[in-house]
Amino acid sequence: MNKNSSNTMALAPNTSNKRETVCIFGTGDFGRALGHKMIQSGYPVVYGSRSTQISNLIPKDAEVLGHAEAAQKAAIIIIAIQRQHYNFLTPLAEVLRGKVLVDISNNLKLNQYPESNAEHLAQLLPGSKVVKAFNTVSAWALQSGTLDASRQVFVCGDDVEAKQMVMNIVRALGLTPLDKGSLLAAQEIENYPLQLFPMWKFPIFLSLGLTAFFFFYCVVLDIIYTYIYENNNFSFFIAITIPNRVCPVMALILLALVYLPGIFAAIIQLYRGTKYRRFPDWLDKWMLCRKQLGLIALAFASLHAVFTLVTPLRAFASWRTGKGIISQVLNNKTEPLDHTNAWLSDSYLALGILGFFLFVLLGITSLPSVSNNVNWREFRFVQSKLGYLALIFCTAHTLVYGGKWFLSPSAYKWYLPNIYILSLIIPCAVLVVKFVLILPCIDKPLTQIRQGWERNPKYSK
Ligand code: NAP
């Protein structure tokens, strides 16, 4: 083997249009899928394998050689092998000296090892230039070409030139490289594919908990209470009536919870007189999942709209309307149109429609494809100003709907308030405090603090 020739090949600039040979160690699922994609993109591929026998699974135009022989043919070697087998690379240290080694490995658990796989590889082969890349792309997506949702490839490494060479390959494969910096970022990149909707956990658990609570609250008041005291069996309320009570309540509370952390943040900043101190962890985490809370709220609001639209189709609704008409006929008396009621019902519907429209607008602007096309001020205008307007409309929708009977004693079965009353507590509190915060005497110092002014600079340490 000619050691020198293999080392001078490392990092040699590509002067012709012909793509440089890429070596892949490992003919497993990922190695084969990546090799296939590389050959399609014009890269000659040579595999380094324990067995040099060509199987029909291996891409047709690829060569399969022993590890050392294959490594000599390329400046870039992709290590498509699990971390636990990396020790077999140590005897190849001389052949791999000066070469770019691309670590694409993942682990089974978050932070499984004290150091990342890429750092481990760099420690085993200090003469090579290790770059982390491709671990967030799946073999299946590479093979089937369904990479639309995951075109981004995180790349990190200590050698800038080596990183550039890998990023060029990423681009040539039709993917988008995202430079995450030095090899220190490898741990985070390796943890990335193991995360399961990290930002959604808190919003989902909170929504499930609150939904279960309100659902059973309604079952107790609307079904059990009515059965015990009025001897009416309204158990079918479980299908539509109760969900159509719980959904708007959840939508309103979650929408208010999107704006509540901002209120807490403003109060904390006013109290501390500086913006240069970290918020408590719980508030930071809450702020980070506001978008998810808003989207779940939108889902509840949409369900409420659908449940409301099907109301006329329900047997219970036609029975109740029929009962009203029959009672008028039996009494030979036509009920006059109650104008106050007509106003209230039209107003609450109009407020609900406007609130829902703004809700949908907020949801649409939170989509990356839309938010990427508006500037920061426009985004803030929609999410903050229109968001508060949506909260006002939805709160008013609930108030107008139940306003006249919220205070009636019949609304308090077993001394418990109706869920609509409960649903108004957080939104009303948010709106009242927000109103106080935008008073000029409070808004002015708050704006100053947010622009960097400090009441007592010693707190900025
Ligand atoms: P795989 O199908 O099990 O292939 C691993 C390959 O490693 C084997 O085919 C074998 O190749 C080689 N190998 C196994 N034991 C070895 C040993 N003792 N010494 C030397 N080489 C050995 O696994 P894979 O799915 O391709 O995954 C390979 C790496 O890619 C893993 O680190 C994984 O985390 C990462 N990855 C996989 C995916 C995916 O979707 N599969 C996605 C991202 C990252 P030879 O028989 O040719 O020697």
Side-chain angles (χ1 to χ4, degrees), residues 24-33 47-52 58 64-65 67 79-89 103-108 117 132-142 193:
I24 302 177
F25 275 7
T27 56
D29 293 339
F30 197 81
R32 289 196 313 271
Y47 282 99
S49 173
R50 291 167 303 170
S51 154
T52 52
I58 293 185
V64 184
L65 302 170
H67 291 113
I79 314 289
I81 293 171
Q82 277 91 357
R83 169 190 170 130
Q84 57 268 34
H85 305 310
Y86 280 2
N87 282 341
F88 92 95
L89 293 165
D103 181 298
I104 52 119
S105 63
N106 283 319
N107 293 319
L108 295 175
N117 298 348
K132 181 91 206 172
F134 290 115
N135 68 308
T136 50
V137 181
S138 84
W140 177 82
L142 272 175

Short mmCIF file of all heavy atoms in Angstrom, two decimals, residues 24-33 47-52 58 64-65 67 79-89 103-108 117 132-142 193, ligand 1:
data_model
loop_
_atom_site.label_atom_id
_atom_site.label_comp_id
_atom_site.label_asym_id
_atom_site.label_seq_id
_atom_site.Cartn_x
_atom_site.Cartn_y
_atom_site.Cartn_z
N ILE A 24 -17.28 4.60 1.62
CA ILE A 24 -18.25 4.35 2.71
C ILE A 24 -17.84 3.07 3.41
O ILE A 24 -17.72 2.02 2.77
CB ILE A 24 -19.70 4.22 2.15
CG1 ILE A 24 -20.10 5.50 1.40
CG2 ILE A 24 -20.68 3.93 3.28
CD1 ILE A 24 -21.47 5.45 0.75
N PHE A 25 -17.62 3.16 4.71
CA PHE A 25 -17.32 1.97 5.50
C PHE A 25 -18.66 1.40 5.98
O PHE A 25 -19.42 2.08 6.67
CB PHE A 25 -16.48 2.32 6.74
CG PHE A 25 -15.00 2.39 6.48
CD1 PHE A 25 -14.48 2.30 5.19
CD2 PHE A 25 -14.11 2.54 7.54
CE1 PHE A 25 -13.11 2.37 4.96
CE2 PHE A 25 -12.73 2.61 7.31
CZ PHE A 25 -12.24 2.53 6.01
N GLY A 26 -18.93 0.15 5.63
CA GLY A 26 -20.18 -0.48 6.08
C GLY A 26 -21.17 -0.57 4.94
O GLY A 26 -21.50 0.44 4.31
N THR A 27 -21.60 -1.81 4.67
CA THR A 27 -22.57 -2.00 3.58
C THR A 27 -23.95 -2.31 4.15
O THR A 27 -24.74 -3.04 3.56
CB THR A 27 -22.13 -3.15 2.65
OG1 THR A 27 -21.95 -4.32 3.47
CG2 THR A 27 -20.85 -2.85 1.91
N GLY A 28 -24.24 -1.76 5.33
CA GLY A 28 -25.56 -1.95 5.96
C GLY A 28 -26.60 -1.04 5.32
O GLY A 28 -26.35 -0.43 4.27
N ASP A 29 -27.74 -0.91 5.99
CA ASP A 29 -28.87 -0.15 5.43
C ASP A 29 -28.48 1.28 5.05
O ASP A 29 -28.77 1.76 3.96
CB ASP A 29 -30.01 -0.08 6.46
CG ASP A 29 -30.62 -1.44 6.70
OD1 ASP A 29 -30.45 -2.30 5.81
OD2 ASP A 29 -31.23 -1.64 7.76
N PHE A 30 -27.82 1.96 6.00
CA PHE A 30 -27.53 3.37 5.74
C PHE A 30 -26.44 3.53 4.70
O PHE A 30 -26.53 4.38 3.80
CB PHE A 30 -27.14 4.09 7.04
CG PHE A 30 -27.24 5.58 6.89
CD1 PHE A 30 -28.46 6.22 7.00
CD2 PHE A 30 -26.12 6.35 6.62
CE1 PHE A 30 -28.57 7.59 6.84
CE2 PHE A 30 -26.21 7.72 6.45
CZ PHE A 30 -27.44 8.35 6.57
N GLY A 31 -25.40 2.69 4.82
CA GLY A 31 -24.30 2.77 3.86
C GLY A 31 -24.80 2.57 2.44
O GLY A 31 -24.43 3.30 1.52
N ARG A 32 -25.68 1.58 2.26
CA ARG A 32 -26.18 1.30 0.91
C ARG A 32 -27.06 2.44 0.41
O ARG A 32 -26.95 2.88 -0.74
CB ARG A 32 -26.99 0.00 0.93
CG ARG A 32 -26.16 -1.25 1.12
CD ARG A 32 -26.95 -2.48 0.74
NE ARG A 32 -28.29 -2.50 1.31
CZ ARG A 32 -28.60 -3.02 2.50
NH1 ARG A 32 -27.66 -3.58 3.23
NH2 ARG A 32 -29.84 -3.01 2.93
N ALA A 33 -27.96 2.95 1.30
CA ALA A 33 -28.88 4.02 0.88
C ALA A 33 -28.09 5.28 0.50
O ALA A 33 -28.36 5.92 -0.53
CB ALA A 33 -29.86 4.33 2.00
N TYR A 47 -16.93 0.99 -1.38
CA TYR A 47 -17.28 0.54 -0.02
C TYR A 47 -16.09 -0.14 0.64
O TYR A 47 -15.35 -0.88 -0.03
CB TYR A 47 -18.42 -0.48 -0.07
CG TYR A 47 -19.78 0.15 -0.27
CD1 TYR A 47 -20.36 0.20 -1.53
CD2 TYR A 47 -20.46 0.72 0.80
CE1 TYR A 47 -21.60 0.79 -1.72
CE2 TYR A 47 -21.70 1.31 0.62
CZ TYR A 47 -22.27 1.34 -0.65
OH TYR A 47 -23.48 1.93 -0.83
N GLY A 48 -15.91 0.10 1.92
CA GLY A 48 -14.96 -0.64 2.72
C GLY A 48 -15.78 -1.59 3.58
O GLY A 48 -16.64 -1.14 4.33
N SER A 49 -15.54 -2.90 3.42
CA SER A 49 -16.40 -3.87 4.11
C SER A 49 -15.57 -5.03 4.64
O SER A 49 -14.46 -5.29 4.16
CB SER A 49 -17.46 -4.35 3.12
OG SER A 49 -18.21 -5.39 3.67
N ARG A 50 -16.17 -5.76 5.59
CA ARG A 50 -15.50 -6.95 6.09
C ARG A 50 -15.53 -8.05 5.04
O ARG A 50 -14.71 -8.93 5.03
CB ARG A 50 -16.19 -7.44 7.37
CG ARG A 50 -15.99 -6.51 8.55
CD ARG A 50 -16.94 -6.86 9.66
NE ARG A 50 -18.33 -6.82 9.21
CZ ARG A 50 -19.37 -7.26 9.90
NH1 ARG A 50 -19.18 -7.76 11.08
NH2 ARG A 50 -20.58 -7.17 9.40
N SER A 51 -16.54 -7.98 4.16
CA SER A 51 -16.63 -8.99 3.12
C SER A 51 -16.65 -8.29 1.76
O SER A 51 -17.45 -7.39 1.54
CB SER A 51 -17.92 -9.79 3.31
OG SER A 51 -18.33 -10.32 2.08
N THR A 52 -15.74 -8.69 0.87
CA THR A 52 -15.64 -7.99 -0.42
C THR A 52 -16.55 -8.63 -1.48
O THR A 52 -16.49 -8.27 -2.64
CB THR A 52 -14.19 -7.97 -0.92
OG1 THR A 52 -13.70 -9.31 -0.90
CG2 THR A 52 -13.33 -7.09 -0.05
N ILE A 58 -26.12 -4.19 -3.00
CA ILE A 58 -25.17 -3.07 -3.11
C ILE A 58 -25.39 -2.33 -4.44
O ILE A 58 -25.61 -2.99 -5.46
CB ILE A 58 -23.74 -3.61 -2.98
CG1 ILE A 58 -23.61 -4.12 -1.54
CG2 ILE A 58 -22.68 -2.57 -3.32
CD1 ILE A 58 -22.31 -4.59 -1.13
N VAL A 64 -16.54 -2.77 -4.04
CA VAL A 64 -16.45 -3.19 -2.63
C VAL A 64 -15.06 -3.76 -2.38
O VAL A 64 -14.64 -4.70 -3.06
CB VAL A 64 -17.52 -4.26 -2.30
CG1 VAL A 64 -17.47 -4.60 -0.81
CG2 VAL A 64 -18.90 -3.78 -2.66
N LEU A 65 -14.36 -3.14 -1.44
CA LEU A 65 -12.98 -3.57 -1.13
C LEU A 65 -12.83 -3.76 0.38
O LEU A 65 -13.77 -3.46 1.13
CB LEU A 65 -11.99 -2.48 -1.60
CG LEU A 65 -12.03 -2.09 -3.09
CD1 LEU A 65 -11.19 -0.85 -3.31
CD2 LEU A 65 -11.53 -3.24 -3.97
N HIS A 67 -11.32 -2.61 4.06
CA HIS A 67 -11.36 -1.25 4.60
C HIS A 67 -10.14 -0.42 4.18
O HIS A 67 -10.29 0.70 3.69
CB HIS A 67 -11.47 -1.30 6.13
CG HIS A 67 -12.80 -1.81 6.59
ND1 HIS A 67 -12.94 -3.02 7.25
CD2 HIS A 67 -14.03 -1.32 6.48
CE1 HIS A 67 -14.21 -3.22 7.53
NE2 HIS A 67 -14.90 -2.21 7.07
N ILE A 79 -18.40 6.81 7.79
CA ILE A 79 -18.37 5.64 8.68
C ILE A 79 -19.83 5.24 8.97
O ILE A 79 -20.45 5.75 9.91
CB ILE A 79 -17.63 5.96 10.00
CG1 ILE A 79 -16.31 6.71 9.74
CG2 ILE A 79 -17.41 4.71 10.84
CD1 ILE A 79 -15.22 5.87 9.11
N ALA A 80 -20.36 4.33 8.15
CA ALA A 80 -21.75 3.90 8.33
C ALA A 80 -21.79 2.63 9.17
O ALA A 80 -22.30 1.58 8.74
CB ALA A 80 -22.41 3.69 6.97
N ILE A 81 -21.26 2.74 10.37
CA ILE A 81 -21.10 1.59 11.27
C ILE A 81 -21.47 2.06 12.68
O ILE A 81 -21.24 3.22 13.03
CB ILE A 81 -19.62 1.12 11.24
CG1 ILE A 81 -19.30 0.56 9.85
CG2 ILE A 81 -19.32 0.09 12.32
CD1 ILE A 81 -17.85 0.26 9.61
N GLN A 82 -22.05 1.19 13.48
CA GLN A 82 -22.43 1.58 14.85
C GLN A 82 -21.19 1.90 15.69
O GLN A 82 -20.14 1.28 15.48
CB GLN A 82 -23.20 0.45 15.54
CG GLN A 82 -24.68 0.44 15.20
CD GLN A 82 -24.99 -0.41 14.00
OE1 GLN A 82 -24.09 -0.97 13.37
NE2 GLN A 82 -26.27 -0.51 13.66
N ARG A 83 -21.38 2.80 16.64
CA ARG A 83 -20.27 3.26 17.48
C ARG A 83 -19.55 2.11 18.19
O ARG A 83 -18.33 2.12 18.32
CB ARG A 83 -20.81 4.26 18.52
CG ARG A 83 -19.79 4.60 19.60
CD ARG A 83 -20.42 5.38 20.73
NE ARG A 83 -19.51 5.49 21.86
CZ ARG A 83 -19.20 6.63 22.48
NH1 ARG A 83 -19.73 7.74 22.10
NH2 ARG A 83 -18.37 6.62 23.49
N GLN A 84 -20.30 1.11 18.64
CA GLN A 84 -19.66 0.05 19.43
C GLN A 84 -18.62 -0.73 18.65
O GLN A 84 -17.82 -1.46 19.23
CB GLN A 84 -20.70 -0.88 20.10
CG GLN A 84 -21.68 -1.55 19.17
CD GLN A 84 -22.95 -0.72 19.00
OE1 GLN A 84 -22.90 0.51 19.01
NE2 GLN A 84 -24.08 -1.38 18.83
N HIS A 85 -18.59 -0.58 17.29
CA HIS A 85 -17.59 -1.30 16.49
C HIS A 85 -16.41 -0.39 16.08
O HIS A 85 -15.56 -0.82 15.31
CB HIS A 85 -18.23 -1.87 15.22
CG HIS A 85 -19.42 -2.74 15.49
ND1 HIS A 85 -19.38 -3.77 16.41
CD2 HIS A 85 -20.67 -2.74 14.99
CE1 HIS A 85 -20.56 -4.35 16.45
NE2 HIS A 85 -21.36 -3.75 15.61
N TYR A 86 -16.41 0.86 16.58
CA TYR A 86 -15.38 1.80 16.12
C TYR A 86 -13.94 1.33 16.41
O TYR A 86 -13.01 1.77 15.75
CB TYR A 86 -15.58 3.18 16.77
CG TYR A 86 -16.65 4.03 16.11
CD1 TYR A 86 -17.39 3.56 15.04
CD2 TYR A 86 -16.91 5.33 16.55
CE1 TYR A 86 -18.38 4.33 14.45
CE2 TYR A 86 -17.89 6.11 15.96
CZ TYR A 86 -18.63 5.60 14.92
OH TYR A 86 -19.58 6.36 14.33
N ASN A 87 -13.77 0.44 17.40
CA ASN A 87 -12.41 0.02 17.75
C ASN A 87 -11.68 -0.62 16.58
O ASN A 87 -10.46 -0.58 16.51
CB ASN A 87 -12.45 -0.95 18.93
CG ASN A 87 -12.67 -0.18 20.22
OD1 ASN A 87 -12.44 1.04 20.25
ND2 ASN A 87 -13.13 -0.86 21.26
N PHE A 88 -12.43 -1.20 15.64
CA PHE A 88 -11.77 -1.86 14.51
C PHE A 88 -11.04 -0.83 13.63
O PHE A 88 -10.20 -1.19 12.82
CB PHE A 88 -12.79 -2.67 13.68
CG PHE A 88 -13.39 -1.91 12.53
CD1 PHE A 88 -12.85 -2.01 11.25
CD2 PHE A 88 -14.47 -1.07 12.72
CE1 PHE A 88 -13.39 -1.30 10.19
CE2 PHE A 88 -15.01 -0.36 11.68
CZ PHE A 88 -14.48 -0.46 10.40
N LEU A 89 -11.32 0.45 13.84
CA LEU A 89 -10.69 1.50 13.03
C LEU A 89 -9.27 1.82 13.52
O LEU A 89 -8.45 2.34 12.76
CB LEU A 89 -11.53 2.78 13.07
CG LEU A 89 -12.91 2.71 12.39
CD1 LEU A 89 -13.77 3.88 12.81
CD2 LEU A 89 -12.74 2.70 10.86
N ASP A 103 -18.87 11.03 10.60
CA ASP A 103 -19.58 10.20 11.57
C ASP A 103 -21.07 10.44 11.39
O ASP A 103 -21.55 11.56 11.55
CB ASP A 103 -19.13 10.59 12.99
CG ASP A 103 -19.81 9.75 14.04
OD1 ASP A 103 -21.06 9.80 14.14
OD2 ASP A 103 -19.12 9.04 14.76
N ILE A 104 -21.80 9.36 11.06
CA ILE A 104 -23.24 9.53 10.81
C ILE A 104 -24.07 8.79 11.87
O ILE A 104 -25.28 8.64 11.73
CB ILE A 104 -23.59 8.97 9.41
CG1 ILE A 104 -23.07 7.54 9.28
CG2 ILE A 104 -23.02 9.79 8.31
CD1 ILE A 104 -24.08 6.56 9.05
N SER A 105 -23.38 8.34 12.93
CA SER A 105 -24.04 7.41 13.84
C SER A 105 -25.01 8.08 14.81
O SER A 105 -24.89 9.25 15.15
CB SER A 105 -22.97 6.70 14.66
OG SER A 105 -22.29 7.65 15.43
N ASN A 106 -25.96 7.29 15.25
CA ASN A 106 -26.91 7.70 16.28
C ASN A 106 -26.83 6.73 17.45
O ASN A 106 -26.27 5.64 17.32
CB ASN A 106 -28.33 7.67 15.73
CG ASN A 106 -28.60 8.87 14.85
OD1 ASN A 106 -28.20 9.97 15.18
ND2 ASN A 106 -29.25 8.65 13.73
N ASN A 107 -27.44 7.12 18.56
CA ASN A 107 -27.50 6.22 19.71
C ASN A 107 -28.92 5.78 19.96
O ASN A 107 -29.85 6.25 19.29
CB ASN A 107 -26.94 6.95 20.95
CG ASN A 107 -25.46 7.21 20.79
OD1 ASN A 107 -24.73 6.36 20.30
ND2 ASN A 107 -25.02 8.40 21.18
N LEU A 108 -29.09 4.92 20.95
CA LEU A 108 -30.45 4.45 21.25
C LEU A 108 -31.10 5.29 22.35
O LEU A 108 -32.31 5.29 22.51
CB LEU A 108 -30.41 2.98 21.70
CG LEU A 108 -29.94 2.00 20.62
CD1 LEU A 108 -29.82 0.60 21.17
CD2 LEU A 108 -30.88 2.03 19.42
N ASN A 117 -20.51 10.38 19.84
CA ASN A 117 -19.86 9.35 19.02
C ASN A 117 -18.76 9.98 18.16
O ASN A 117 -17.70 9.39 17.96
CB ASN A 117 -20.88 8.68 18.11
CG ASN A 117 -21.96 7.98 18.90
OD1 ASN A 117 -21.82 7.82 20.12
ND2 ASN A 117 -23.03 7.57 18.25
N LYS A 132 -19.29 15.56 11.82
CA LYS A 132 -20.57 14.90 12.11
C LYS A 132 -21.59 15.36 11.06
O LYS A 132 -21.70 16.56 10.81
CB LYS A 132 -21.06 15.32 13.51
CG LYS A 132 -22.37 14.68 13.92
CD LYS A 132 -22.13 13.41 14.65
CE LYS A 132 -23.31 12.45 14.53
NZ LYS A 132 -23.00 11.14 15.08
N ALA A 133 -22.29 14.44 10.45
CA ALA A 133 -23.31 14.83 9.46
C ALA A 133 -24.23 13.65 9.18
O ALA A 133 -23.94 12.51 9.57
CB ALA A 133 -22.65 15.27 8.16
N PHE A 134 -25.33 13.91 8.51
CA PHE A 134 -26.26 12.91 7.97
C PHE A 134 -27.03 12.09 9.01
O PHE A 134 -27.85 11.27 8.63
CB PHE A 134 -25.53 11.90 7.05
CG PHE A 134 -25.07 12.49 5.76
CD1 PHE A 134 -23.71 12.59 5.48
CD2 PHE A 134 -25.98 12.95 4.82
CE1 PHE A 134 -23.27 13.14 4.29
CE2 PHE A 134 -25.54 13.49 3.62
CZ PHE A 134 -24.19 13.58 3.36
N ASN A 135 -26.74 12.25 10.32
CA ASN A 135 -27.39 11.34 11.27
C ASN A 135 -28.88 11.61 11.41
O ASN A 135 -29.63 10.75 11.87
CB ASN A 135 -26.72 11.42 12.66
CG ASN A 135 -26.95 12.74 13.32
OD1 ASN A 135 -26.70 13.77 12.73
ND2 ASN A 135 -27.45 12.72 14.54
N THR A 136 -29.34 12.82 10.98
CA THR A 136 -30.77 13.11 11.13
C THR A 136 -31.57 12.66 9.90
O THR A 136 -32.79 12.82 9.85
CB THR A 136 -31.00 14.61 11.36
OG1 THR A 136 -30.27 15.31 10.34
CG2 THR A 136 -30.51 15.05 12.72
N VAL A 137 -30.86 12.11 8.89
CA VAL A 137 -31.55 11.64 7.69
C VAL A 137 -31.71 10.14 7.81
O VAL A 137 -30.78 9.44 8.22
CB VAL A 137 -30.70 11.96 6.44
CG1 VAL A 137 -31.39 11.51 5.18
CG2 VAL A 137 -30.38 13.44 6.39
N SER A 138 -32.89 9.61 7.47
CA SER A 138 -33.05 8.15 7.61
C SER A 138 -32.70 7.44 6.31
O SER A 138 -32.84 8.00 5.22
CB SER A 138 -34.47 7.80 8.03
OG SER A 138 -35.31 7.75 6.92
N ALA A 139 -32.25 6.18 6.46
CA ALA A 139 -31.89 5.38 5.29
C ALA A 139 -33.10 5.23 4.38
O ALA A 139 -33.02 5.33 3.16
CB ALA A 139 -31.41 4.00 5.75
N TRP A 140 -34.28 5.07 5.00
CA TRP A 140 -35.50 4.88 4.23
C TRP A 140 -35.80 6.12 3.38
O TRP A 140 -36.11 6.01 2.20
CB TRP A 140 -36.66 4.59 5.20
CG TRP A 140 -37.95 4.44 4.48
CD1 TRP A 140 -38.41 3.34 3.84
CD2 TRP A 140 -38.94 5.46 4.29
NE1 TRP A 140 -39.63 3.59 3.27
CE2 TRP A 140 -39.98 4.88 3.53
CE3 TRP A 140 -39.05 6.80 4.68
CZ2 TRP A 140 -41.12 5.60 3.16
CZ3 TRP A 140 -40.18 7.51 4.31
CH2 TRP A 140 -41.20 6.91 3.56
N ALA A 141 -35.66 7.31 4.00
CA ALA A 141 -35.94 8.54 3.26
C ALA A 141 -34.95 8.74 2.12
O ALA A 141 -35.31 9.19 1.03
CB ALA A 141 -35.92 9.74 4.21
N LEU A 142 -33.68 8.37 2.37
CA LEU A 142 -32.66 8.51 1.32
C LEU A 142 -33.00 7.60 0.13
O LEU A 142 -32.92 7.99 -1.02
CB LEU A 142 -31.29 8.09 1.86
CG LEU A 142 -30.44 9.14 2.55
CD1 LEU A 142 -29.20 8.49 3.12
CD2 LEU A 142 -30.05 10.25 1.59
N PRO A 193 -32.33 13.24 16.75
CA PRO A 193 -33.31 12.26 16.23
C PRO A 193 -34.00 11.44 17.31
O PRO A 193 -34.96 10.74 17.03
CB PRO A 193 -32.45 11.34 15.34
CG PRO A 193 -31.10 11.89 15.31
CD PRO A 193 -30.96 12.89 16.39
P1 NAP B 1 -26.62 -1.88 9.81
O1 NAP B 1 -27.60 -2.13 8.73
O2 NAP B 1 -26.58 -2.80 10.95
O3 NAP B 1 -25.16 -1.81 9.15
C1 NAP B 1 -24.02 -1.64 9.90
C2 NAP B 1 -22.82 -2.11 9.11
O4 NAP B 1 -21.68 -2.01 9.93
C3 NAP B 1 -22.88 -3.57 8.73
O5 NAP B 1 -23.59 -3.77 7.56
C4 NAP B 1 -21.42 -3.94 8.61
O6 NAP B 1 -20.95 -3.64 7.29
C5 NAP B 1 -20.74 -2.99 9.57
N1 NAP B 1 -20.32 -3.72 10.78
C6 NAP B 1 -21.11 -4.41 11.62
N2 NAP B 1 -20.39 -4.95 12.62
C7 NAP B 1 -19.12 -4.58 12.40
C8 NAP B 1 -17.89 -4.81 13.07
N3 NAP B 1 -17.83 -5.55 14.18
N4 NAP B 1 -16.78 -4.28 12.56
C9 NAP B 1 -16.80 -3.56 11.44
N5 NAP B 1 -17.93 -3.29 10.73
C10 NAP B 1 -19.06 -3.80 11.22
O7 NAP B 1 -26.80 -0.43 10.41
P2 NAP B 1 -27.28 0.90 9.66
O8 NAP B 1 -28.73 1.05 9.82
O9 NAP B 1 -26.71 0.95 8.29
O10 NAP B 1 -26.59 2.02 10.57
C11 NAP B 1 -25.23 2.30 10.48
C12 NAP B 1 -24.95 3.59 11.22
O11 NAP B 1 -25.72 4.63 10.62
C13 NAP B 1 -25.37 3.53 12.69
O12 NAP B 1 -24.40 4.18 13.47
C14 NAP B 1 -26.67 4.30 12.72
O13 NAP B 1 -26.85 4.94 13.95
C15 NAP B 1 -26.45 5.31 11.61
N6 NAP B 1 -27.70 5.81 11.02
C16 NAP B 1 -28.60 4.92 10.53
C17 NAP B 1 -29.78 5.41 9.97
C18 NAP B 1 -30.80 4.48 9.37
O14 NAP B 1 -31.86 4.94 8.96
N7 NAP B 1 -30.51 3.20 9.28
C19 NAP B 1 -30.04 6.80 9.96
C20 NAP B 1 -29.08 7.67 10.46
C21 NAP B 1 -27.90 7.16 11.00
P3 NAP B 1 -20.04 -4.71 6.48
O15 NAP B 1 -20.74 -6.04 6.62
O16 NAP B 1 -20.01 -4.18 5.12
O17 NAP B 1 -18.69 -4.73 7.14
#
